[in-house]
């Protein structure tokens, strides 16, 4: 089955257009390295957490939204190979990242069910 790289990202609401432009610019690079799909979602209904929650996970600040994003790959090896190019492929150097990367969460997930 496929492999998914998932992300939670705090983004300033004022930077929504910049974030979307950055995501759109990254797609051809991810696709070049074998990504099958890239999905970017903007949080609209994020209830405040008491013990856990999207807001707590990214230490959401006033004036920010939570972005939930994922990239679908054919397998983990393809994802790992792509991410390994981030230091060597100059295409990544020009990417604008309009968010606080220190509060971004990410992880890799093996698909166990898909419909």
């Amino acid at each position: 089955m496929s492999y998914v790289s998932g992300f939670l990202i705090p983004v300033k609401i004022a930077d929504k257009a910049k974030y979307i432009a950055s995501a759109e610019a990254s797609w051809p690079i991810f696709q070049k390295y074998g990504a099958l799909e890239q999905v970017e979602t903007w949080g609209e209904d994020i209830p405040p957490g008491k013990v856990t929650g999207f807001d707590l996970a990214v230490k959401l600040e006033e004036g920010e939204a939570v972005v939930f994003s994922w990239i679908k790959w054919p397998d983990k090896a393809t994802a790992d190979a792509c991410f390994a190019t981030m230091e060597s492929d100059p295409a990544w150097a020009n990417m604008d990242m309009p968010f606080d990367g220190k509060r971004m969460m990410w992880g890799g997930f093996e698909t166990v069910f898909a419909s």
Side-chain angles (χ1 to χ4, degrees), residues 25-93:
S26 70
W27 170 239
I29 306 169
F30 284 125
Q31 194 174 29
K32 174 174 97 171
Y33 287 107
L36 303 173
E37 178 182 44
Q38 178 180 341
V39 178
E40 305 287 338
T41 64
W42 191 265
E44 286 191 14
D45 184 15
I46 309 295
K50 293 184 179 168
V51 177
T52 62
F54 286 108
D55 61 330
L56 298 175
V58 298
K59 298 183 180 178
L60 195 66
E61 296 176 359
E62 186 72 31
E64 291 180 333
V66 176
V67 170
F68 177 42
S69 171
W70 64 91
I71 302 169
K72 183 177 176 184
W73 304 94
D75 51 47
K76 183 179 186 307
T78 303
D80 289 346
C82 175
F83 291 124
T85 70
M86 290 187 166
E87 297 294 322
S88 60
D89 186 332
W92 295 114

Side-chain angles (χ1 to χ4, degrees), residues 96-114:
D96 181 25
M97 293 184 14
F99 56 86
D100 181 355
K102 292 177 187 167
R103 293 185 289 135
M104 177 175 82
M105 297 179 63
W106 68 90
F109 301 86
E110 175 188 1
T111 302
V112 295
F113 173 80

